[in-house]
Every structure is written in C-alpha cells, then in structure tokens.
Amino acid sequence: MKKMNLELGAEKFHELFSKVHCGPEPDPHKPLAKPLRPSDPDVVRTTDGILTKNQVTNNVTFTAKIHEEPNALLDSLLGNQISTANQRLYQEVIKEESDGMIVTYWSFMLDEVTAAHTVLRMVKSQKVQDNDEIRIQVLSVNEEKELEDITLPSPFPTAAKNFQLLLNEGTIILEPLSLGQTSFTFIAQASLGVPKEKKDSTPSRISSSFSGLRRSTTKKSFIQRATSFGFSTGPDLAKIGFGVIKAEELFNKIASMLYDRFKKEDVIDKRMKEDFVAFVLNAPALTPPEEDLIKKSLDLAKELSMAKREVGTVREPVETFFHRSDEGAGWAKSVAKIHIPAINFFAELWLLDAFEWKANHKGDAIFDVIKNVDGTRAMQYSRSISLPGGFQDRLFQAWMTWAIINEGGCRTFVIAFAPLAEYGGTQHPVAGTEKMMLASSFGVHIVKEVTDHTCEWTRAQRVDLNIAALPASMLDFLAKQQLAQSNVLQDKHMRNGKEVDREGRDALAAIMIEERGTPLMEDQVEVFDRCLSLLGDGDEQGWKALKSPSPDVEMKIKYFPPKNGERSIGTGKAVGVIDCTAEEVAAWVMDYTGNERMRLDAEEGNLARLEVRHLKRLNENTVATIKHMPIIFDNREAIARVIWKSDEVGVIIAVESVDLDVDYGASFRKTRAHTKGLWKLKNLNDLNGVHQCHATLIHWVDAGGNVPVWLANSKITNILESVQDAIQLFRQDEKIDTATAKDFHTTLTSWQGEEYSKEDDALLQRVRDKFEESLKVEGPLEHRRSSFLRNLLDRRKHAGWRQLKSPDVFVKMEVIFEEGGSTSAVGRATTVVDATILDCAAWELTRMTRQRLKEHRKVGGLERKVVKLTDHSHIYYYARDFGVTGFAPREWLTKCVWKVLDENTMIVGFEDITDDNFPPGAGKDYVRGSSGALWKYERLPEIEGVPQTSVTYCQQADLKGFIPKAVMNSRASKYLLTVSRMRKNFDRSSDIDAGRRAVLVQSILREDLVSSDLGDSALEQFEDLFEDKPHSERPTTPFGMADSMVYASILGGHAWGRTSVNFCAGLEDVAAFIWDFGSRANMEISRDIERTFEEGEDRGFRKFVTGRHELSSKYGAHHRDRTFASEMSLTRVDTDTIILRYSPVGGEKKNVRRSTVKARGSIAKRNTGTVDAKETVAIKLRRMGKRTICLDYACDLAVGSSVSRKASQALVDQRLAEIAETSIYFQRLLPLSDYTPEDGKALGQDLLWKVGRSKKKRIARLKDAFTKSRALRELSDAHPYILAMMIPALRGNLNLSRTVRTKLVCLSEVEAIQIGKNLIFCLKSKKLISAGVDQWRVQNRAVKELMEEHEWFQPMTVVLGKGVVKAAAWGLMWRVVVEAVLSMSDLITDILVLKEYWEGGEATLLFRNLTLASLLVSVALQLLVVLIQNRKKRVSKMLKEVGIVLLGMKSPWDAFKVASGAEREKDAEFDPMMEMTVSKCIEMFAESLPGIMIQLSSIIKSLNTEGGTISHVAITSLFLSTFTTGFVSATISYDLDTDPTYREQVPDFYGYIPDSKRKRSILFLTMMNMAAVQALLKSLLVVTLGSIDPMYAWLYLLADLIFYFGYKVLRRDFTTWMPFYGVLGFAVSFLVRFCVKLIADYTATIHFRHPKELGGLYFSMNSISPFVGMVVLLTLMEEGTFNDITTEVLTNVTVFLGAALLTLTSAFFLLIKEKFRRTFYSVRTGIQQTQISFLRGEDEEKAAVFVNHTSHWYPIKDKVEKWVQSGWHRWEVEKPEWFNDDFKCDVPEHMKPKRRKSRQRGAADIEPDKNATPVRRGSFLVNALAKKPNNVAPAANRSTKIDIEAFKREIIKGGSVF
C-alpha cells in the first residue's frame, strides 16, 4: 500500500467520518481501502473517509486517520485500558496465550443507552512490516470453552441495552502518514446478535452491570446469525430484536471512537505550522501573476493609511478604520499587536486547512482548501455562507498567495487574496457549488515583525455579496464585520503586558546601541537645538528645590524669561539614578503606547493615547494624548515629536509639540497644550553587578486655556514623576542588597587579624561591662498577670529579669533595671538563628541596604547615614519622626565596633559619641537621644546540616525630652523586634523539621515495629478514650474540616475532648511529626511555654516528655502554669494504622531522666513554680487512601480542682486546635499540582479559622497562608496578583461591580482588586453562595480561566464565600444608626410626654403612671441584660455599661459597637449583634408598643373631652414609637430572609426579597410601613374598645386568642416544633403560640407566615383583621358613644390606614419574587411542612426532621427509619457537613443501625443493611438514525425587500469569510 500524503488537496480528513464498504469477498491480507487521490475514479470523495464501489455482504472495511505514530498505536492496541476522555471506548486484554496471541475485549458506547461488545483474538508477536506498514492478523473466537473461565469487565454501568458484534477473520493495517499520523484500516467479516435471556443464577466472579448480557461471544449465543443482518451503504435496515442498526452508522461511530481516543488536533496543527515554517525558506519563487497581486495589495495598504478611525476604538487592543475608495468601494482595516513571533502568526493565517480553522467553520456546507496550485505558492480557498430572507447561499472562492518583504528594516509577511476568477491558471472544481451564487472578496494581511516574539498585524478587506438590492451601508457593515476575527486572534495570543513591554524595550535598546553615532536628519537637529536650550548655561544657579514625593528623585524648578508670548511657567527638573542602562530607559520613554503605560493611562481616566503610525521613523515617534481634566476645564490635548540620539555616553531624547490633526475616532471638548522636554541619560559604572544610569529630565509644559500659571507651576512635580516611574520599573533592590551583604560578609572574614585601637577596645570593654553584668543576673521573674499600673509601680522593687510578652514565639524578651543607674530599662532578646555568625553580623551591620532603608522610612525614619572608620568600626547616624503632634523628631549618633573573640563567639558594641560632622540637631528641630547596645553571637552545633547561632541582643535607649520613663519602658518589646526580624530572615525551620522527620519515618517503616498484641491493646485503649461522653458539646471555635466534641466537669479541673479530621499526608509522616515532640513546628502550633523531652537513651518508640502550659481564666483569676509529664509511646497496629499515646507519669520518673529543654524563644531552662497536671492522650492515624489519612484524637485532662469549668474547657479547645493546626501544617506542604477540590475546601476552612468577624484577622491569615503554603506560593508565582484579588474578597466590603474581561495572564493589580470586589457583590445578589460564585466566574474572565486551570479554586471560594457572608454586615451600619436614632428620639419624646402628664395633675395620672412603668420596665430589663452580659468582667466595666443604660444611651452605644465591627469580648455571654437585638426587642415590647397604646388612649380621651387639646409631643411620640416598632419588625424579617443558610436549607420559604439592590431598599421601607400600620390599627382597635368599655377590649383579646388556639387544635397543629414533651411540652407550646400570636398582631412580622408558626392564610387574615374590626366597630357603634369630633377622627384615621395598608400590601406583593406569593395564602400546617420537607428534600433537608417534635414526623416514621438505616454507613464514610454529633444525638437510638467494634476504624462502625434494595436500571430502545439532509431549495436571486437587522445578525453569526 502506498503512503498517504497529507499535502494532497483532495484528501479530506476533517473530524473523522468513516464509511462501511461492501463488495466481493476480500483478501484478508489486502486492504480494500485506498488513499484518496483526485485521479482515482473508483473513489467516492468524502470528508475524511474512504468508500469503494464493491458490494459484498457481511464484509466490512473502514479507515480512520489516527494522530499517533504506528508503533505507539500498535502498543496501545495490544495493551490494556484504552478509553476515551468521555469513556465511550474501552479495551482490555483478558487472556494471553502461549502461542503469542492475545484475546482482547472491546466495548463501544454508541449512545447513552446502547453498547456494542466484541472479543478479538489478535496475533501479538507476528507483526508483518512491509514498506513501513504494520499488519495485525485478527482471528475468530468461535469456541465457547475458550471464554468460559474469563470474567469480562463492565466499563459502562449506565448502559441498559447491549448487543454483541462478531468481527473475525480480518486484518488491521497501520500505515504511517505525514506529521506523525497513522492510517488505521480494519478489514473483517461481521456478524451481529443479541444476548440470551438471563436466567436466575449466580453471577460470575465479576458480575456485569449490563442487564441480561451474556459474555460468551460464540455463534450459539446469538439469536440471529450474521446472514440475517445485511451491511450496505444504502437505506437497508435490519431488525435485531430490540431496535434497528444501520451498518454504515455503526462503524462510523466505532471509527470515530478510535479517532477520539488518539485525537491530538492541536499537536497536528503545531506540527503542520512547523513544517510550513521550514517550507517558507525553500518556497518556489513568485510567478508574475503572484507578484502583481502582492504589489496591488501593498498599494492598497498604502492607500488605506489615511483611513478614518472607527468610533470608540482608540483604546481598543484592535484599532479599526474604514475607507471609501474613489470607485465607491468600502474598505475596512484593522491594526493589532500580536504577541507571538511574526512567522508563527503568518503560518497560522495561511494554513486554512488546520483543524483549528476547520472547527470554526464546522457548520459551513463547503469549506475547501487546495494548496500549491499549479506548483506555485498559491492556494485555492472555497467557503460558503448562508443568507437570510430566502437568498441563495453564497460561495466565496479566492486565489491567495504570500510573500516576504522588508519594510522599514523589519521583516514583513504579506498574504494577498483576490477572487478566483482573476487567476489565469487551473481552477479546481468544488462539489456541491452548483446551486450557489458567487460572492467576492479582496484584501491583504500584513504581518510586520516588531521583536522576536511580537508582531504588528494589519488587515484590510472588502466584500461583495453580489446582491443588487443590498444598500451600500450594508456592504460597509459586511466589510467591517470581517474584522471581527482580528479581535479573536489578538485576544487568543495576548500575553502578559509587562513581559511583552520588556521584549519591546530590549529590542529597541539593542537598536540604540547599534545606531550609536548615527547623525540626525536636519529637521530633527532643529528640534534638539530648541530642547537643549532648556539646559540654560548648564549651571545650577536659579534652580529652586521642590518637595519630591520620593527620596530617590531630586526635583527643582527654574523660571526662564518667556519667549514669543509664552506665559511665565516654570521649567521642572528631576534627577535620579536608575538600575539599568541608559538605552533601556530610553526604550521605555519611546514605548509610549506600551501595554502597561496604556493600562495606567486608562485607569487615570484619560481619553486617548496613541502613536501616529504614518509619521513613525526608526528614531522618532509622533505621539498624541488627551488628558482628562476636572469639569471646569477642557480636556487637554498634547501632540509631540519624540526623537532619540545615542552615543557612547548614553542617550538623549528630545520632546517637542507639533501642530498636527490626529484622528481619535470621536470628537472631544479639548484645548491644545504645548510641551518641550529633554531626557539626558548617562551610563554609570555597575553597582554590585547591576547596570546604573544617571537620568535627568527637564520639562516645560503649558496647559493653555484658562489654567492659571500658579496652578500649572504647582503641578510640575506630577510631570517630573516620570523619573520615579522609571526608577520603580527597573528597581533591582534585592539583587543589589544581596551583593552588598555578600561584600560585607567578605569584609568581615578579611579583617580578623587586624589590630584594634585603644579607643575601639575601650568602647567594647565599656559596652561589655555595662551589659554583661546584666547578663549575669539569674532568676527571671514570672510574668505577672496584673494591671498595667501595678506592673509599672512594682518593677523597680525586684532584682532580676522580667519576662515580656514576645510577639515571636521563638524570641525571648526580658527587661531589667540597673541598680542606682539609669531610669531606662535594659532590654534583652535571645533566640537561635539558622545561619552562621558572620551571616547574622553582616545582616545587622549592613544598615544601608535598600530594604533596610525602606523599613526605616516606613516607621517614620527621616535620615540614615553610615560612615566607615575602619574594617571593624563605623559611625551610625539616624533620625526618626514618631508622628506624634508636639513631639519633636529624635536623632541618634553612635559608634559601632565589632570583634571576633574566638572561632565560636563574636560581639558588636554600640555607644553614644559626639562628632563635629554631626552636630546635635543638625540645623533642624531634632532632639539628640542616647542609645547603647551589645550583640553577642555564639556558634551552636549544626542541626540537619543547617548552621545554628545563638543571638543575644541587649539595648538601653533614652529618647530624652519630657517622656515618662514608664511609658518608654513599657514599649521595650518594640525595640527588640530586630532580633525577630533577623530570625525570620534566615529561618529554615521547615528544612530542619523535614530532615528530622525523614529519619523518624525510616524508623517507623521498620517491619518489626508492627505488633498485633500491642496493637489490639492500643486500639482498645483508644476506643475507650474516644467514646463520646454524656453532655459533651461542640468546641468554642471548631475547625470546619474536623468533627469535634468537648466535655468539662461542672466542678472544674477535669476535661475531655476528641476530634477527627481527614487531610492529605503520608501516614508515617504525620506519626513522625507528632513523635518529634520538640520540633519547631510543634512548638509553634502548641501554646506550651516550654517542652522537655528525653534524649540519648534508646528505648524504642517510648520516651518521657513534659510540657508547660499557661492556663488562662475565664473569670479573671490568676492560675499558675500547669506542667504535664507523660510517657509517650508509638504502636504500629498494621501497615495502615498507627496509635500514639501519652500516659501520665509520677514525679520520681521526671527527676531521673536526661532531658533537653525547648522553651519559647529560649534555649535556657526557666524557673519552675508550676502545678503538676495529668493528661491521657490517644491518637489514631489511619490511611484512608493513596494520599489521605484520618487523624482521630482524644484527650482526658486533670488540671486541678481549683480551675473553673470554662478554663478547663478552654484548655481542651486548645488541644483540639493543635490537631487542626497539624492538618493545616500538612495541607500547606502540598504542591499545587496535587491539589484537589477537597483540598480547596480545606484551604478555605484554613483561611477562615479563628478569624471571627474581624476583617483584619482574615487578611492577616490570608497573607500568612500565602507565605507558608507551598501551593499558594506556586500559584502566586504563576499569577502575581492572586493575593491582591483575594484581599478585597475576604475583606467583604460591598462595592459597585464592574465586569473585568482581561485574561488571567494579562491581569493587572488594579483589575485583580476589582475582581475581588466583584465577588462580594455577586454573593449578595444571589440566593445561594454557589450561585454567587458561579456568577463571579462568568462575570470575570480571569476567574473563569483560573477555575478551569485549578479545579480546587471554586470549592475554596464557595467555602470562603460562606464565611464572608456569615460575618458580613452589608447595609447594617445605616440600619443600626437609623434604629438608634429612632430609639433615642422615642425615649426623649416619652420623657417629654411623661413631663406633660406629670403637669396634667389627676386627669393624666393614669397615663403618667403607665408611661413611667413602661420606661422603668424597659430600663430594668436592659439592666438585667447588661448584668448577664458583663457578669464575668471587672466591676469598672459593668458600672460603665450600667451608666450607659441609665443615661438612655444604650441604643446608640450598641449601634456603634455593631457598626464598627466589634467582636464578642472574651468574657461576654453573647456578641454585640445579639446584645443589640435583645435590647431592641425589649424596647419594642416594653416601651414602643405600650407607648403606642398609652398615646392613643390619651389622644382619644382628649378628643372626647370638651375643650381637650391634643399634645404635639404626644403625636410625635406616637409616630416615633410606631415607626420604631415597624423598623425592628422589618429588620427581623429582612435579616432572616436574606440569610444564605436559611435560603439554602429552605428555598421554598426564604428568598422572597429580590436580588436587586434598589428593589431591596424599596421593599424594606414597604415592610417597615406595613408593620407600623399594623401596629397602629391593632392598637387603635383595642384602645377604642377600651375607651367604650374596658371589658370589651378584654373580651375581644380573649376571643381572638380562643379562636386562634381553637384553629390550631382543630388542625392538629397546636404542638410546636420544639422537641419538648409531657407537661413541659404543653406549656412550651402554649407559651410559644401565645408569643408568636402577640408579636404578629402588633408587628406583622413577615416571618411568622411560616407553616410552623401562624401559617400563610391565617397570617394574611390576621393582618387585615384589625382594619375589618375597626370598620365593624365604627359601623355598629351607637350614636353618642363618642362626640362628633372623636368619631370623625376615628373614621378618617381608619380609612387612611386602610388605604395605606392596601397600597403597601399591593406594593409588597409586586416587589417580592412571584413564586413566594403562594406562601401568604398557604393552608399547610407545621406537621405537613415537616413531612413534605423530608419527603421532597435531599439528605441535608431530611436530616432536619429530627430537630422537630416527634409528632411532626410520626406518621412517616417508617420512611424516616428506613432512610436512616440505609444511609448511615455511607454517611460515616462520606462525612457530610450535616452528619455531625448534633445530628447523631437527635436520632433516636432504636433507629440507628447496630454498632460493632472495628479494628480498622477504631470507633463504632455500622453494619450494612443486607435487605437494601439494589437500584434497578430501566431499558430504552436503540435508535441509530441517519442525519437528514436539508432539502429546502434556495430561493431565486431577485430584487426584494431586505431585513437589514436579520442580515446583520446572520453575518455576525457566520463570522469572517477569511
């Protein structure tokens, strides 16, 4: 067989489409299929198939092109587990025979419900190779006994209908093709059948999931023989018992599956481009017709250089233009920067037969490419498009060719195309074009090479559809639409803007070096002469200093005499040093439209920024910009020539305005500005290997118009900031600082033998005498937990070091006071640094590095200087402004001397000096302070190959001036933080711990460590300790991924806890981590003050350990530290289980063992004075899979009877938190490539843990995770602005949303921040968190790409979203402020009314007493809340809160705490939000509602009294009380309905509030007014009845309650959902029903329409009943009951309130979501709701059934029990969030499956339900219908009315013609 040539235009392999071949009995070794060739008359040409005209029954031949080499394909065919991405093809070797043959099983999933199976015997060893062709012989499998012992796999569990296909006596031929492809041809005899009926028998060893399929493929197992199934290419179909199969389509699908299995279309396209790039270098020469076409195209491009810019494209990445030629033809043009090499992009444009292009034109009836026409470069291209309105389809046929030219010194590729009719050579016919009408297109592609990796693409084109009735505007639109592809390709290849800009700068810098000394053109020389005049005489006279915004840039201004009518505007000058060459800076200046500069310009809001291309030269650009100005000024337009000149010294750039009209594509209100400037860039010597250049910018700008001169001069610094921008862009601080430290390190090693002067030795001696005396003081005092003032008063009374609270757990900080010396304390900090002595000293002594200077300025540093004296001494001067008003800046001047005492010790001393070069004050208002310090470095033994140095730092500083010493000394720890910074700079804790852990892992892996006897004992002890205790509860701060419970005894002193958590880690790694008791990670995770562990004695995996823990008190008591002494052991139960235990030991064992002490921040043993405590701990580690373990932990603590229950529980909480931190530690070790969605959820829980509602804590934990997590570091390295995106997302502030369409690789920091803000808006606007995250993904392209690249990112975001929404207070601030204002106003008016009642005498005595009583009850209840909330706090704190209540400031105080984000305080009973809610409810029911009743009674009495007057204060108080009630009611309903948790759990009830922000605000006001109207109506009805006769009011209220309770009883809905039983249950139900009824009567709280409360219909009727009652009352009321005025007022008020109620109710129902309206007239009861929720809900909704009273689900108890029994085991394994200890406690014991002890799980496992009914699958008919052709005939081309809009839609849908 001959090889197939891909380059032949007749061969069509697009989207595999194979054919079945029928004909005579074939030779099994000779293929029927032949390659497609245009000259072969026996071949019917198809898309990608082969079809002969032979007709033989039962023989099949099909061919597929495979994207794989023949040998690799052969290995796959003879191997195992061939499966496509969507698992539609499965192949497995099921038997290997000794004669070199194999038996393989194949299964093809033809559609969702149909599978075909076959078994083939193939020759494995005998490969026939002839002319690179590989043949495999296929033999029949026709003996049933051959397969009787074979169990076949079942790869498609969803298939319901199967048939067997017998393919035998055939050949597989593999023939190599170009581009690494293979022609796969299969020739065989075929038979088809269906399986026998399945009998009730025991299934095979591996039972098939195909119902009724029998695995034997013998001929006896078929119902129909092969002769009854005919294969043909026609419409002949044969029935096979359960459907029909068309033979042709069957094998098309099988061939398609083979194609899909090896599909690598992108790889083939890449190879095709590589081949074409090589072909370009040896392409045939252009023919004369081709040269004419190229020339014509270039002339066209030149003509189109003056085309008009399209509106709105000046800032688009693809600029578009339009031009109408003299002949009237419309030409569209686009220009875009493409971020790939020019030749690669040229190849992509030319290779129209690539798979990528074919996929874009898959729906076209004709898409044909014929290359190398007549042996030339030319190509014939044909494509059809469909037109609307009954028009014939149009056919575009083009003649295309290409050429390479040189344009402006750049290699340029040109592709020209014209109608095929203009080609005089061979024109190949294309099938199917007979009924199409020709259209035409002419155009050109010009790809200009800009850099090695970027190019500029210009495209011009016009299109003619050959429709006479089509208006010219439509033709113009069609031409412009062809450019849409430009945006697609530009976006496809867009790369990171900074990287592209750097490539462009490098290329231009290289040109500048090559062009050094090249003379300027005459007009350019003139520009340079005018710009050089800005230098003046070259001296510095006349230049005045300006305040520079950066310390790196010096700025000045000078006023030159104005010329030629110029205004007296100053000329600015900026000078700085930049970390790069002069050519690089010049290239940046010339890159005016670089990606980053364009982005920054757009962010500033400027309107335009562009280059005028047709004026561009090699060393000159003409640029234009329009700057946005404030509304009082016109926008400013500036157009300038920018010219560069280079020489050996550097580069000079001249900038001068030019008078030119620029096409911006739109008109702007603008005024022309004028500018003149000069960049002078001079190369300097390298600094530590980094290029340096000196930059001077001199610039003059006249903004023109009405901008005042003084304003223009004041803004000159903004123009000069370009120098700072360049410094920031090219900054290489890290590289320079590293080299500086290295040089200083070299200096330290070179002077060790140098002699010291007497002065230096004396200085060191004085410093050592001062501070080493302090070091000798022993016996550090315990850290006192007393007040700040007491500590200040007592410090001077004690000798010895006083320990300070250190911010760094590995740095110990202390202070001491000199006896009889300075009043300033001496501070000392000690730590161990993972570096050598010289490394530590070099880090401290190199104080002039850029990083240290940056840190210095960050804390208010003003000046910093170092003067070198010798190689071992220098003078150090620095000044600092503390930022305190009235506090003068301080300065220090010290001399530093360092000396190596021996090979293991080095000291550095600092002492105050005086120097004439640094006079006190330095001419400024500085106060000279004093300071002395001693650094001592001592070498320690290496740990795991990491050098160790003990660092001790002592310092005594005095700020001088009038500063209390106590205040300065109290901040001593701040001055010692430099030790912590040094430690963190060299920290290699992870390497040290990993090395130690690796050694331990090897020991744990020993086989002799496994012991079944010890393992059983250890498991039994673990299970006993892990078993839940009665009355256990959840921890205070549970970790989201852990299942935890704690218990603390009531009397205190004893506590228990257990937790389980799954995470990714190695079993032995975690065991080694826990065993390494003294590791740094363990020290950091735990809160132990010090840890002691046995060392040096080989006792196997048993050792004694001691931990000292600080015990905190919840009640302000002072506890001594607790010491836990334990024996630690490790037992390996089996290969997948390890048990670790801590058992308490006696004091005699503690005192005899050798030990090493690891204390926080110290290596020295500290004083004891602790209390012994005991702990029993058991830890079980289980391997759950290849990469997951489960850590089960249980502990039992005895800390002493004097300890409170809360303190004991807090200690257990800390122990469980350590386990959570352990899982986080290992989670953060995972690489990015190993992350899964479960890891994403764990990361989300990590970021939310222990942060509460605090935004600062959330951000701090996020930054910490990005520092310590390996995966996040890798993600940040790949996408630098991920952290910037996550910060606003976790901050949770609600901002306006703005779609960001930028690609992930091109994302800027500003765009990343906006994306993070968008998440909050999306979360708020959606009902479910997951829906909000989906909206965020769709809205922001970068997020979509990120989630596609990392599947774990979306589940992580969902977890974070839940945490953010839970802690968010969106709209809360204005609500609490409004509520506070209403409450305060209500209180004030109540007091004023009380004053009026008091003055009213006996007539108002009742109202006075009632008002006073309501106020006193309200205050008393609020005082009770305050006492409960603050009962554990200091008396002063409680008195403060009591005073706030008595002053009536409780409401604003609560509002302030909530609005400011205050968290729950340490000893508080509930958080500020709950405290405010309780206070509001008290005010509403004890003050507002009684106030409404009292004021209404007073008003009615006054109206009904002759001569009575109505107080305006009473009216005001009435309305304020009413609206306060309405506001509280609306707030409760709003918060409940918008809670994401409620919306997710009960979506049928919660969610009626719309997502629109505007609608939400309107609806809230509506609800508030509805509640206010309800309160007024109900109160008015009761008061009116009471005014007639108090008995009427009581009878009405009693009747209302009797009717309500009767309604509930009759509907069997009296029992509330709360699970209380017996007499208590009846009392609770009565009380709850009564309270709900009372609240709903007076507030109309929407939530109470819930079926478990009032119910929808009753709630609605209850809401209108007061109005109906008032109408009935006024109607039936006898004449004379009230006077006429009172009756009229009551009538008018009732009508008004009724109208208001109707209006508000209508608005409410219009605003809420439509599907929730039914909840307002539902008659569903609470019991019905519970049962429906269970029957219709998912597992999570079903689980909520047990929180209800048993009577609510008793009718369906059998279904509930069955659900529990069938799912319990699965829940134990999957551990869904709702399957927690609360749920397990709620489930009745008789419903739980029986428990059994499990060796593997350790806890109780569940026996599976043997009676569980298996899931049965349905069956479906098999349908394989051929695709029907489109038989609609095209309409004739005639003049008709055209739907232009439809035409445009169709054109846009069809895309570009070329």
Side-chain angles (χ1 to χ4, degrees), residues 14 269 272-273 348 351-359 367:
H14 166 65
D269 282 353
M272 189 183 300
K273 293 174 184 176
E348 181 175 347
L351 295 174
L352 296 176
D353 56 342
F355 284 103
E356 183 179 8
W357 283 104
K358 293 178 181 179
F367 184 83

Side-chain angles (χ1 to χ4, degrees), residues 191-490:
S191 302
L192 191 67
V194 294
K196 291 180 178 180
E197 294 294 331
K198 184 177 180 181
K199 299 179 181 180
D200 295 333
S201 59
T202 304
S204 59
R205 289 175 295 165
I206 302 179
S207 60
S208 170
S209 59
F210 299 114
S211 176
L213 175 63
R214 193 173 182 82
R215 291 302 187 185
S216 173
T217 57
T218 60
K219 296 181 181 179
K220 297 179 181 179
S221 66
F222 289 116
I223 293 178
Q224 295 183 335
R225 295 298 304 272
T227 54
S228 65
F229 185 77
F231 290 82
S232 71
T233 58
D236 298 336
L237 303 175
K239 296 183 179 181
I240 59 172
F242 59 89
V244 294
I245 293 294
K246 187 175 181 181
E248 179 178 349
E249 182 164 340
L250 169 63
F251 291 106
N252 280 346
K253 290 185 176 182
I254 292 176
S256 297
M257 292 177 191
L258 285 170
Y259 178 85
D260 290 338
R261 166 63 182 88
F262 300 97
K263 182 167 63 175
K264 301 177 183 177
E265 294 178 349
D266 55 340
V267 175
I268 299 302
D269 282 353
K270 182 179 179 181
R271 293 173 183 171
M272 189 183 300
K273 293 174 184 176
E274 291 172 352
D275 285 1
F276 179 71
V277 169
F279 168 75
V280 166
L281 302 177
N282 300 308
L286 289 171
T287 63
E290 290 178 318
E291 291 179 348
D292 292 341
L293 179 59
I294 294 294
K295 183 178 181 302
K296 185 178 179 181
S297 299
L298 293 175
D299 292 341
L300 169 66
K302 186 176 181 180
E303 179 185 351
L304 294 180
S305 63
M306 302 304 295
K308 295 295 183 182
R309 186 186 301 272
E310 286 292 291
V311 176
T313 65
V314 69
R315 282 203 171 275
E316 294 297 319
V318 178
E319 300 175 67
T320 57
F321 305 84
F322 185 76
H323 175 71
R324 188 171 300 281
S325 66
D326 297 337
E327 294 80 11
W331 291 86
K333 171 188 170 183
S334 66
V335 181
K337 293 180 180 178
I338 308 298
H339 298 165
I340 61 172
I343 192 169
N344 290 358
F345 186 65
F346 162 60
E348 181 175 347
L349 292 176
W350 179 258
L351 295 174
L352 296 176
D353 56 342
F355 284 103
E356 183 179 8
W357 283 104
K358 293 178 181 179
N360 293 334
H361 299 286
K362 187 183 298 184
D364 295 345
I366 294 176
F367 184 83
D368 186 77
V369 177
I370 301 175
K371 293 181 179 178
N372 303 333
V373 178
D374 295 334
T376 67
R377 303 183 182 185
M379 175 171 64
Q380 177 181 321
Y381 170 76
S382 303
R383 185 214 166 182
S384 64
I385 64 171
S386 299
L387 297 180
F391 285 93
Q392 285 180 278
D393 291 350
R394 266 20 181 206
L395 174 68
F396 288 90
Q397 287 193 304
W399 164 45
M400 307 179 67
T401 191
W402 60 269
I404 303 178
I405 63 173
N406 187 292
E407 182 181 351
C410 300
R411 186 170 60 161
T412 304
F413 301 89
V414 180
I415 299 177
F417 53 91
L420 184 61
E422 296 187 12
Y423 178 57
T426 304
Q427 298 182 12
H428 296 278
V430 179
T433 62
E434 296 80 8
K435 296 182 180 180
M436 293 186 179
M437 180 170 287
L438 281 177
S440 63
S441 181
F442 183 89
V444 62
H445 297 275
I446 301 176
V447 182
K448 183 178 179 180
E449 193 171 56
V450 178
T451 69
D452 291 341
H453 302 285
T454 59
C455 59
E456 184 180 84
W457 174 33
T458 302
R459 172 179 179 172
Q461 188 174 359
R462 70 173 175 83
V463 177
D464 185 1
L465 290 179
N466 195 14
I467 302 178
L470 200 63
S473 61
M474 187 61 215
L475 290 174
D476 296 346
F477 171 80
L478 183 62
K480 296 174 186 178
Q481 182 58 34
Q482 302 311 304
L483 304 181
Q485 183 195 33
S486 303
N487 293 281
V488 175
L489 292 179
Q490 192 276 340

Side-chain angles (χ1 to χ4, degrees), residues 1394-1406:
L1394 180 63
K1395 177 177 176 294
E1396 288 188 354
Y1397 290 157
W1398 205 283
E1399 295 172 351
E1402 293 294 330
T1404 57
L1405 178 62
L1406 177 63

Side-chain angles (χ1 to χ4, degrees), residues 443-628:
V444 62
H445 297 275
I446 301 176
V447 182
K448 183 178 179 180
E449 193 171 56
V450 178
T451 69
D452 291 341
H453 302 285
T454 59
C455 59
E456 184 180 84
W457 174 33
T458 302
R459 172 179 179 172
Q461 188 174 359
R462 70 173 175 83
V463 177
D464 185 1
L465 290 179
N466 195 14
I467 302 178
L470 200 63
S473 61
M474 187 61 215
L475 290 174
D476 296 346
F477 171 80
L478 183 62
K480 296 174 186 178
Q481 182 58 34
Q482 302 311 304
L483 304 181
Q485 183 195 33
S486 303
N487 293 281
V488 175
L489 292 179
Q490 192 276 340
D491 181 79
K492 171 187 173 183
H493 297 298
M494 184 181 293
R495 293 186 289 124
N496 184 269
K498 290 184 177 180
E499 180 182 348
V500 174
D501 290 347
R502 180 185 54 78
E503 294 170 354
R505 291 195 302 269
D506 292 344
L508 183 55
I511 294 175
M512 290 179 177
I513 295 174
E514 292 176 1
E515 298 293 329
R516 283 176 177 174
T518 302
L520 299 174
M521 300 182 70
E522 184 177 349
D523 60 323
Q524 295 176 338
V525 172
E526 295 175 357
V527 173
F528 262 84
D529 291 341
R530 288 191 292 268
C531 292
L532 286 171
S533 64
L534 295 174
L535 293 173
D537 297 332
D539 56 14
E540 292 297 318
Q541 292 183 359
W543 291 99
K544 295 181 180 179
L546 293 173
K547 185 178 180 180
S548 174
S550 170
D552 300 322
V553 181
E554 181 184 1
M555 294 185 179
K556 300 178 181 180
I557 190 172
K558 185 175 183 179
Y559 297 92
F560 290 96
K563 299 178 182 179
N564 301 327
E566 293 178 348
R567 297 193 295 173
S568 182
I569 295 177
T571 300
K573 180 180 180 180
V575 179
V577 177
I578 306 176
D579 299 335
C580 65
T581 64
E583 289 78 13
E584 289 177 291
V585 180
W588 172 76
V589 175
M590 297 300 296
D591 189 19
Y592 191 74
T593 56
N595 293 279
E596 281 299 295
R597 299 180 78 176
M598 290 290 289
R599 180 186 62 79
L600 293 173
D601 191 69
E603 290 172 359
E604 291 174 2
N606 297 324
L607 304 177
R609 186 185 184 99
L610 54 87
E611 291 182 355
V612 183
R613 289 189 179 85
H614 68 278
L615 298 178
K616 187 177 180 66
R617 297 177 182 174
L618 180 64
N619 69 329
E620 179 181 346
N621 287 344
T622 301
V623 298
T625 183
I626 300 180
K627 298 288 186 181
H628 177 71

Side-chain angles (χ1 to χ4, degrees), residues 634-698:
D634 287 346
N635 300 311
R636 285 318 189 257
E637 177 191 29
I639 306 172
R641 297 174 66 186
V642 186
I643 310 168
W644 60 265
K645 179 179 68 174
S646 62
D647 53 29
E648 297 298 330
V649 176
V651 183
I652 299 177
I653 301 175
V655 181
E656 186 181 51
S657 295
V658 61
D659 189 10
L660 187 70
D661 290 331
V662 176
D663 178 16
Y664 299 104
S667 59
F668 300 101
R669 185 170 62 93
K670 60 184 184 294
T671 297
R672 180 70 60 87
H674 301 278
T675 183
K676 191 181 343 181
L678 187 74
W679 281 85
K680 198 172 182 179
L681 306 168
K682 180 182 178 181
N683 286 312
L684 303 175
N685 295 329
D686 291 356
L687 175 62
N688 295 327
V690 176
H691 296 302
Q692 300 279 290
C693 75
H694 184 274
T696 302
L697 170 62
I698 302 176

Side-chain angles (χ1 to χ4, degrees), residues 194 275 321 490 637 702 736 912 967 1287 1314 1423 1474 1536 1835:
V194 294
D275 285 1
F321 305 84
Q490 192 276 340
E637 177 191 29
D702 184 359
I736 292 175
D912 291 329
V967 174
I1287 287 176
Q1314 181 60 49
L1423 287 174
M1474 178 60 69
L1536 288 172

Side-chain angles (χ1 to χ4, degrees), residues 1295-1299 1314 1317-1319 1321-1322 1335 1339-1340:
N1295 299 277
L1296 293 178
S1297 179
R1298 179 171 61 86
T1299 301
Q1314 181 60 49
K1317 294 177 180 179
N1318 290 347
L1319 174 62
F1321 185 86
C1322 294
Q1335 180 182 340
Q1339 181 192 37
N1340 304 281

